[in-house]
Amino acid sequence: MSDPSTASIVSTPPSTNPNEVGAPTDAGLPGNARKEKPRGLLGDAWRDLRRKPLFWISAFFILIFVVMAAFPSLFTSGDAVNGTLANSRVGPSGDAWFGYDVQGRDVFARTIYGARASIVVALLSVMGTLLIGGTLGIIAGYRGGWVDALLSRFADIFFGLPFVLGAIVILTTFNGADSSNSEWQIMALVIMSLSVLGWPVVMRLMRSSVLATKEADYIVAARALGAGTGRIILKHLLPNCLAPLLVYGTILVGSFIGAEATLSFLGIGLKTPVVSWGIMISEAQNYIRVSPYLLFFPAAFLVTAVLSFVMLGETVREALDPKLR
Amino acid sequence: MSDILVSEQSATGADGSGRPSGRLLEVEDLRVEFRTRDGVAKVINGVTYHVDAGETLAVLGESGSGKSVTAQTIMGILDTPPGFVTGGQVRFHGKDMLKMSAEERRRIRGEGIAMIFQDALSALNPVFTVGFQIAEQFRVRRGMSRADAKKRAIEMLDQVKIPNAKGRYSNYPHQFSGGMRQRAMIAMSLALDPEVLIADEPTTALDVTVQAQIMDLLAELQRERRMGLILITHDLGVVADVADRIAVMYAGRIVEEANVYDLYAKPAHPYTLGLLDSIPRMDEKGQQLRTIKGLPPNLMNIPPGCPFNPRCPMAQPVCREKLPPLLQIGSGRASACHFAEELVNRD
Amino acid sequence: MGRYLLRRLLQLVPVFIGTTFLIYWLVWSVPGDPFAGKCGDRRCPDVYINMMTEKYQLDQPIWVQYATYMKNLFQGDFGTTFNNREVSDIIATAYPNTLKLAVVALSIEAIIGLTAGVLTGLRRNGFLDNLVLVSSLFLIALPVFVVGFVLQWLFGVTWQIVTPTVSSEMRFTELIIPGFVLGSASTAYVARVARTSIAENRRADYVRTAIAKGLPMRRVVGVHLLRNSLIPVVTLLGTDLGALMGGAIITEGIFGINGIGREALRAIVTKQSSTVVSIVVVLVLVYLFMNLLVDLLYAALDPRIRYE
């Protein structure tokens, strides 16, 4: 999978570096003795985040989608799985806000229930990716030497696999000619393939974080005081290397929602009777001209969900980046 | 207001004849502020100095005193925003540059006034050879052919005493040592034969022995070309050898101006006195180092009266109330202290 | 420089072997009947099974199989499909189409991305800046097929400016929309990287020196600033070409281009494993090779890298 650039897209770099010539310095004069309580990076980040409307907007949408995924019946009483052919391709109306699809199923209900599959798959895949990539990254970064070389080459192998092709190969291999896999098995397969293809980027991210913090003085101090490797990793390294990971993970949820949709669109991801936005879009592609709403509604939900996660990740990344202060 | 009149007086400098100056380069009552999100910092508060052909003016001050910002304003490379010129003039051959068009100002750069910077490694473009960057001046500003420009560039490298100039032409900045790099930058700045060279902390990043070599080179080049040299530094040791006159800056204003001998022998401002005192001396081994206590003022909130008063060992109530103007106190000397005369006359 | 090149080549070999072996293993050796589904939905004819088993030594351990396969590959034998087409033929006809599409996509993303990035990097916080920021956000976040459908629907169906699908001659003008779709996310990345790079370099010391030298702004920006700022952008574009070719499956599907992605998809759906493996091998090879080229390019552009 490709490596997103580290440049932030949500706002502009600052127009001034206040530490250059002419910077006002704090003096020991009585008038200037009002010092602000030192707040630390997280505190500053939260203060910044609070002020950004983009943060609140994306958080709001994410909350809605999560609730939708967990309790779909709160949003609709329709049936997402069964329909009557008599209703085939009936447009939106007062009864069915989003109309009916080819098999007469309520599109609104399907869109709401679709949130569950899409978001659950994305979330679990991201967790898998972070776990695998994070662990390997810590090991590679902390141990260094031939362990690092080996793990990095291993990651390179997976880097070389084009994402879509790799996913297709994995899924067709394990989904096989006999599509007798259960709903859960299919989902698990998709989750597994996304994790397998996504972990190299996370590993590199974690590894460079670890490499940067490994030589820090407080790590050396901890070692001098007799702390063992495990303790050092858990208590000292992790908290400092976690931030970029969490930011990337948030953005990755957005990407994976899109990726699941892509796989379903190709016909190798989730399949009926599972309901997901990707499946709905895939089913709608032949009817774009006659019933565009079949494509429009799930696509709109998909796009909003993806954007919310990506924007949230970007705003958090910006807030945490001390260089943009 | 009286502040300005007095500065004009001292601007006529050594001869005190009151004639309007036909000086080479002159800064008069310059005022610059930095407008930031957190407030407005008054970085330059009425600076006046000048330099003539063949003479070296050293501008001395600590970080934040405004010495580099003044130089940048002269060159016209001040970051705007956040920097804004709010008053004063910068006259080159009598014409105020602040009122010139951008194009006129640009033409003066390199040809009339040139500048070299502290860190040659970051000041030179890392992806072009040193030779290219020197030859560029000849090609772009003088319209020379590539071959001619290369020849002239190699001559410049020779002039700054870089061995094997021909070979070094095609080297990149990171392939030079610190001292050689600084020489290359000097070569680049002198390519178009400027009349004034501003050197902003040219030796601060270099070893002591290399420092001496570079200062010697600058002195020699200045002599040969009869250039005016403005040397910006915080290092009193560097200044003593090279400068003709010294202007001491603090909190964005000139607090003392004198020729080098007078300044070192009998400083007329407590700040200068403190600076000179803080130089460790061989005959004082084993004693405690002397410092100027306190910190420079917050330029967003300069206290009333003399900006140095919180740190001044001789501060009196008047110092906290009235801003001392820069007054002449003798031939070719000026000081901005209420007690300048007392200071000079004490033994 | 030569040593650097050699080192990179040596690193490439194990990765190439690793990736191709992984693919081979996945396709041929997952436990179970290796011919399950290889001949479509019918059971494979015995003739075929015997021929394939002998040719690829399928009764041998996996690494022998793989070695044989690779040996054949480097002699030009990419295998055959089950109705006896040479895979190398398939690749030879389809690959140029994908290459054309990828080059168009790369050009579009370079032109749009660079222009947007340079303009907004030089002049921040304007209307253009916000426009670029928002649109790049959209382009990155939207899956390719959504962008593809929307644009196909807009330009091909509603406004009818172009034909919804691409004809077999693949004229350049027809490839503009598909090219844009293929490169949509990359365009956004190029714009972002260019913007940040330029905005950071604007404040650099060497830019200040160039201005202090009295050079015209045109030259300060066009020569000094750009030459430095574009290094990360150029290397990004370089790696992208390799990635574009691997990712064209969806775009080719939507716009009806007979490229290698479409062949791969067709082979997967009709369960032609040898085709799939061969195509992936070719793509991986190209990708690794492009990565090597980009490393060289980077060294050529940045003299500081060269002399290590």
Side-chain angles (χ1 to χ4, degrees):
Chain A
M1 252 177 103
S2 65
D3 196 344
S5 91
T6 52
S8 171
I9 59 173
V10 178
S11 84
T12 60
S15 57
T16 173
N17 179 354
N19 287 323
E20 276 171 353
V21 194
T25 52
D26 218 347
L29 299 176
N32 296 319
R34 173 182 56 92
K35 272 192 165 76
E36 295 195 338
K37 188 166 69 88
R39 236 179 287 125
L41 192 56
L42 278 179
D44 277 342
W46 175 236
R47 193 179 62 134
D48 253 357
L49 267 185
R50 270 205 319 245
R51 293 196 301 213
K52 285 194 216 272
L54 223 54
F55 171 71
W56 291 113
I57 297 178
S58 17
F60 168 72
F61 275 112
I62 290 178
L63 195 63
I64 293 204
F65 283 121
V66 168
V67 171
M68 206 186 283
F71 306 110
S73 44
L74 281 180
F75 291 82
T76 177
S77 53
D79 190 346
V81 180
N82 304 303
T84 27
L85 281 175
N87 284 334
S88 177
R89 287 196 291 114
V90 171
S93 64
D95 294 330
W97 296 344
F98 289 178
Y100 294 91
D101 71 359
V102 186
Q103 298 187 20
R105 296 173 290 198
D106 182 352
V107 176
F108 183 69
R110 280 177 72 75
T111 313
I112 300 290
Y113 275 86
R116 169 180 286 176
S118 305
I119 293 191
V120 164
V121 166
L123 276 176
L124 290 179
S125 309
V126 169
M127 287 202 278
T129 312
L130 289 182
L131 220 62
I132 302 176
T135 318
L136 289 181
I138 291 187
I139 298 176
Y142 196 69
R143 284 256 168 260
W146 64 269
V147 173
D148 182 12
L150 197 67
L151 285 175
S152 295
R153 293 292 84 74
F154 189 53
D156 280 345
I157 291 178
F158 282 86
F159 257 119
L161 274 180
F163 172 70
V164 179
L165 276 179
I168 295 180
V169 172
I170 295 179
L171 284 169
T172 42
T173 307
F174 291 99
N175 253 339
D178 45 13
S179 328
S180 60
N181 289 330
S182 77
E183 198 176 305
W184 292 112
Q185 276 178 307
I186 298 180
M187 273 178 87
L189 270 175
V190 172
I191 293 176
M192 190 204 75
S193 25
L194 287 178
S195 305
V196 159
L197 292 168
W199 70 263
V201 180
V202 174
M203 185 212 140
R204 269 195 194 168
L205 208 58
M206 189 57 150
R207 177 177 171 271
S208 57
S209 265
V210 171
L211 283 178
T213 7
K214 197 167 64 159
E215 303 304 327
D217 282 342
Y218 61 88
I219 301 281
V220 179
R223 229 177 301 165
L225 286 170
T229 310
R231 188 178 165 81
I232 290 184
I233 291 184
L234 279 175
K235 214 170 171 273
H236 296 283
L237 269 183
L238 262 190
N240 290 289
C241 301
L242 230 57
L245 226 66
L246 288 178
V247 166
Y248 182 66
T250 312
I251 299 180
L252 198 59
V253 175
S255 301
F256 275 175
I257 295 179
E260 177 275 313
T262 308
L263 294 176
S264 304
F265 166 76
L266 287 172
I268 57 172
L270 303 175
K271 301 197 218 291
T272 44
V274 177
V275 187
S276 86
W277 294 326
I279 294 179
M280 293 177 71
I281 296 178
S282 170
E283 286 172 353
Q285 54 174 306
N286 293 325
Y287 302 99
I288 299 184
R289 263 174 251 214
V290 281
S291 314
Y293 64 90
L294 287 179
L295 175 68
F296 176 71
F297 291 114
F301 271 60
L302 177 78
V303 166
T304 313
V306 173
L307 275 178
S308 309
F309 278 99
V310 171
M311 280 200 311
L312 183 71
E314 284 286 328
T315 44
V316 171
R317 188 224 299 273
E318 265 205 353
L320 283 177
D321 187 351
K323 275 186 295 192
L324 289 179
R325 249 152 231 307
Chain B
M1 208 44 199
S2 56
D3 205 20
I4 301 177
L5 290 172
V6 165
S7 318
E8 252 182 19
Q9 268 186 7
S10 55
T12 53
D15 54 50
S17 58
R19 260 181 294 135
S21 41
R23 302 199 182 274
L24 184 51
L25 174 64
E26 200 168 12
V27 175
E28 187 178 329
D29 195 37
L30 186 65
R31 288 167 197 277
V32 174
E33 52 185 45
F34 271 52
R35 298 177 193 156
T36 71
R37 205 169 47 175
D38 300 316
V40 175
K42 293 200 190 302
V43 178
I44 313 266
N45 303 302
V47 163
T48 300
Y49 61 62
H50 69 275
V51 73
D52 286 323
E55 76 166 342
T56 302
L57 170 73
V59 178
L60 203 64
E62 55 193 312
S63 320
S65 57
K67 51 195 200 303
S68 289
V69 174
T70 315
Q72 287 172 6
T73 313
I74 295 175
M75 286 299 283
I77 59 178
L78 186 68
D79 267 345
T80 302
F84 291 93
V85 178
T86 51
Q89 297 191 352
V90 177
R91 288 193 292 267
F92 184 57
H93 284 299
K95 281 187 66 181
D96 185 6
M97 293 202 291
L98 297 176
K99 296 206 171 41
M100 289 182 188
S101 70
E103 182 61 17
E104 282 182 279
R105 275 200 98 166
R106 178 188 75 81
R107 268 195 289 258
I108 295 181
R109 287 185 211 127
E111 266 186 22
I113 312 177
M115 187 159 171
I116 59 176
F117 302 93
Q118 173 176 336
D119 182 7
L121 183 57
S122 59
L124 291 169
N125 195 327
V127 300
F128 294 127
T129 62
V130 159
F132 173 93
Q133 298 184 52
I134 302 178
E136 188 179 24
Q137 291 287 64
F138 296 114
R139 272 184 27 236
V140 174
R141 309 278 311 265
R142 292 276 153 82
M144 288 191 193
S145 72
R146 211 164 283 242
D148 284 338
K150 177 167 179 176
K151 217 158 51 103
R152 291 281 288 129
I154 296 178
E155 278 171 25
M156 292 306 302
L157 288 174
D158 259 333
Q159 276 192 39
V160 294
K161 312 234 177 29
I162 291 181
N164 184 20
K166 195 138 176 267
R168 293 298 242 165
Y169 178 91
S170 1
N171 281 152
Y172 290 93
H174 66 277
Q175 293 176 284
F176 284 73
S177 71
M180 289 294 149
R181 251 198 310 271
Q182 192 60 280
R183 290 174 193 267
M185 189 154 70
I186 293 175
M188 188 170 74
S189 64
L190 298 180
L192 302 178
D193 259 324
E195 298 173 70
V196 177
L197 178 65
I198 305 179
D200 190 352
E201 310 239 27
T203 55
T204 304
L206 303 171
D207 293 337
V208 175
T209 41
V210 179
Q211 265 186 26
Q213 291 170 3
I214 299 292
M215 293 312 301
D216 280 344
L217 176 68
L218 279 176
E220 187 184 318
L221 290 167
Q222 179 202 26
R223 264 196 315 271
E224 285 170 15
R225 293 153 175 264
R226 285 271 303 162
M227 278 189 319
L229 176 63
I230 300 182
L231 178 63
I232 299 176
T233 181
H234 61 273
D235 188 342
L236 284 157
V238 160
V239 158
D241 257 343
V242 175
D244 297 314
R245 277 181 306 115
I246 302 181
V248 181
M249 280 187 71
Y250 187 80
R253 22 167 64 86
I254 310 255
V255 295
E256 180 167 2
E257 191 179 336
N259 71 55
V260 60
Y261 302 105
D262 287 338
L263 192 94
Y264 277 82
K266 273 254 182 290
H269 192 283
Y271 179 57
T272 318
L273 187 58
L275 286 179
L276 289 169
D277 252 358
S278 65
I279 304 177
R281 293 169 52 131
M282 285 296 289
D283 55 352
E284 291 175 349
K285 252 180 9 174
Q287 302 195 13
Q288 243 191 350
L289 292 171
R290 284 183 292 265
T291 58
I292 308 177
K293 68 172 173 38
L295 291 166
N298 180 352
L299 295 169
M300 294 218 221
N301 208 350
I302 301 183
C306 174
F308 188 60
N309 88 68
R311 312 168 72 185
C312 183
M314 309 170 190
Q316 304 289 329
V318 65
C319 302
R320 276 187 278 279
E321 293 151 24
K322 248 185 102 202
L323 176 70
L326 186 65
L327 287 174
Q328 265 198 303
I329 54 168
S331 164
R333 291 196 75 162
S335 170
C337 178
H338 294 301
F339 303 102
E341 303 265 353
E342 284 87 332
L343 209 54
V344 168
N345 293 329
R346 91 199 195 308
D347 241 4
Chain C
M1 185 63 168
R3 258 189 8 199
Y4 178 69
L5 184 58
L6 193 62
R7 222 169 16 148
R8 289 290 290 118
L9 266 176
L10 283 181
Q11 280 176 351
L12 217 113
V13 172
V15 174
F16 175 68
I17 295 181
T19 315
T20 48
F21 183 71
L22 184 65
I23 294 286
Y24 189 84
W25 176 80
L26 270 177
V27 173
W28 281 107
S29 315
V30 169
D33 177 9
F35 287 103
K38 291 291 190 295
C39 303
D41 292 315
R42 303 174 311 239
R43 200 185 158 276
C44 289
D46 283 336
V47 176
Y48 181 68
I49 293 185
N50 290 334
M51 180 194 84
M52 294 297 272
T53 308
E54 197 192 307
K55 187 169 184 196
Y56 296 107
Q57 301 170 289
L58 290 176
D59 40 358
Q60 305 273 13
I62 180 74
W63 43 89
V64 176
Q65 292 180 38
Y66 173 71
T68 321
Y69 173 74
M70 289 313 261
K71 185 174 66 109
N72 288 337
L73 198 83
F74 281 106
Q75 292 171 345
D77 178 6
F78 283 69
T80 49
T81 68
F82 79 86
N83 40 5
N84 262 327
R85 280 183 69 199
E86 285 289 331
V87 174
S88 41
D89 275 343
I90 298 180
I91 295 183
T93 14
Y95 199 76
N97 292 335
T98 304
L99 198 60
K100 244 181 172 174
L101 178 65
V103 166
V104 171
L106 197 70
S107 320
I108 293 180
E109 103 193 16
I111 295 175
I112 300 183
L114 273 181
T115 320
V118 168
L119 284 180
T120 48
L122 287 179
R123 202 191 320 247
R124 295 144 310 155
N125 286 325
F127 166 71
L128 185 64
D129 198 36
N130 286 317
L131 180 68
V132 167
L133 285 178
V134 169
S135 44
S136 63
L137 184 57
F138 266 83
L139 285 179
I140 291 181
L142 296 181
V144 171
F145 73 95
V146 171
V147 178
F149 270 142
V150 168
L151 288 186
Q152 182 185 48
W153 184 71
L154 267 182
F155 286 90
V157 177
T158 327
W159 297 336
Q160 307 225 332
I161 302 181
V162 290
T163 54
T165 55
V166 174
S167 69
S168 46
E169 300 104 54
M170 293 199 25
R171 279 185 298 265
F172 170 70
T173 43
E174 294 175 323
L175 287 179
I176 295 184
I177 302 278
F180 177 76
V181 169
L182 180 60
S184 54
S186 300
T187 314
Y189 280 127
V190 167
R192 277 167 67 164
V193 171
R195 180 172 171 278
T196 309
S197 186
I198 291 207
E200 278 175 356
N201 274 283
R202 274 184 66 187
R203 300 280 163 220
D205 283 349
Y206 66 83
V207 171
R208 186 180 59 176
T209 307
I211 301 179
K213 274 162 77 171
L215 295 172
M217 263 327 244
R218 236 182 17 246
R219 190 175 168 89
V220 173
V221 171
V223 174
H224 287 263
L225 182 59
L226 277 189
R227 178 74 174 69
N228 273 279
S229 316
L230 292 188
I231 295 178
V233 178
V234 170
T235 47
L236 179 65
L237 285 173
T239 37
D240 216 31
L241 189 59
L244 280 177
M245 290 193 275
I249 287 188
I250 297 167
T251 315
E252 288 174 6
I254 295 181
F255 291 95
I257 300 173
N258 288 320
I260 209 167
R262 221 182 183 201
E263 291 295 340
L265 191 59
R266 186 176 299 160
I268 290 169
V269 164
T270 55
K271 322 231 164 97
Q272 309 262 22
S273 306
S274 46
T275 318
V276 175
V277 178
S278 303
I279 292 182
V280 173
V281 166
V282 168
L283 285 176
V284 168
L285 203 60
V286 170
Y287 173 75
L288 289 177
F289 182 65
M290 287 305 302
N291 272 8
L292 187 66
L293 270 189
V294 166
D295 278 341
L296 290 181
L297 186 65
Y298 189 44
L301 289 177
D302 191 342
R304 291 169 287 190
I305 305 288
R306 265 181 241 168
Y307 299 97
E308 50 172 56

